[in-house]
Amino acid sequence: MLPMTNDNQQQITAQRWAMQFTSTPRCVRLVRSLVDKTLLSWGYGREDIDRTVLVCSELTTNAVQHGHRRGHRFEVRLSGEGATCLVEVSDALSRRLPRLMETSDEDEHGRGLQLVSALAKEMGHRARNPIGKTVWARLALLTPEEDTRA
């Protein structure tokens, strides 16, 4: 027997994407491009895609700069479900945990996690087995259906 549904109920299907990358600065551009194409194929709007790409770029840059471990790759994962997208970036170095820094107008670095915090609904980090850490951010997005009506 099939479950009863109401015409007003939406079926929300979770979308998943993940890929590993060599830990080089050049791969940050590749991550941005692939995340953009993935979210576009999932039906999200340009504004939401741009915010998510920016968050991915900041977390990826941190993984390359601060989470690099010789011979290990980093991984980027997206999980889109309706009106949220979870961005996860995992690297192989667990001893350098992310932290929000206070910066002055003259500082040239240190604002990446502040930017992620401002754009994301929530963010955090956790240990990764067998090695490393995962830094994540959850963004509120319009669902693809909502975006076409806006």
Side-chain angles (χ1 to χ4, degrees), residues 17-149:
W17 175 86
M19 188 172 280
Q20 291 186 350
F21 300 88
T22 306
S23 188
T24 64
R26 194 172 66 174
C27 284
V28 175
R29 184 178 69 221
L30 178 58
V31 168
R32 285 194 300 258
S33 175
L34 292 172
V35 166
D36 185 279
K37 288 177 185 174
T38 298
L39 292 174
L40 188 61
S41 75
W42 290 354
Y44 288 102
R46 177 50 45 200
E47 187 176 313
D48 285 338
I49 292 171
D50 290 345
R51 281 189 306 116
T52 307
V53 166
L54 182 55
V55 166
C56 283
S57 181
E58 292 298 332
L59 296 181
T60 299
T61 298
N62 285 349
V64 169
Q65 289 181 348
H66 307 295
H68 176 76
R69 189 172 190 178
R70 187 178 172 97
H72 292 270
R73 296 173 178 234
F74 70 92
E75 183 177 42
V76 178
R77 286 181 304 283
L78 298 177
S79 302
E81 190 167 339
T84 64
C85 184
L86 177 64
V87 174
E88 298 173 286
V89 178
S90 300
D91 62 50
L93 205 58
S94 57
R95 69 178 179 266
R96 295 205 56 190
L97 297 177
R99 62 182 172 85
L100 287 171
M101 298 175 59
E102 290 195 27
T103 57
S104 70
D105 291 342
E106 292 79 36
D107 291 331
E108 294 182 18
H109 303 283
R111 291 184 182 84
L113 288 179
Q114 290 176 356
L115 185 58
V116 171
S117 178
L119 295 173
K121 193 164 116 174
E122 58 183 333
M123 63 180 284
H125 60 86
R126 66 179 179 275
R128 180 180 182 227
N129 284 329
I131 59 170
K133 67 182 172 300
T134 298
V135 183
W136 59 269
R138 187 179 315 277
L139 290 93
L141 309 177
L142 292 176
T143 63
E145 297 82 23
E146 289 174 329
D147 195 52
T148 58
R149 286 180 275 175

Side-chain angles (χ1 to χ4, degrees), residues 1-14:
M1 180 182 273
L2 295 174
M4 295 194 50
T5 60
N6 182 328
D7 288 339
N8 295 331
Q9 286 181 311
Q10 291 183 350
Q11 294 288 74
I12 297 177
T13 305

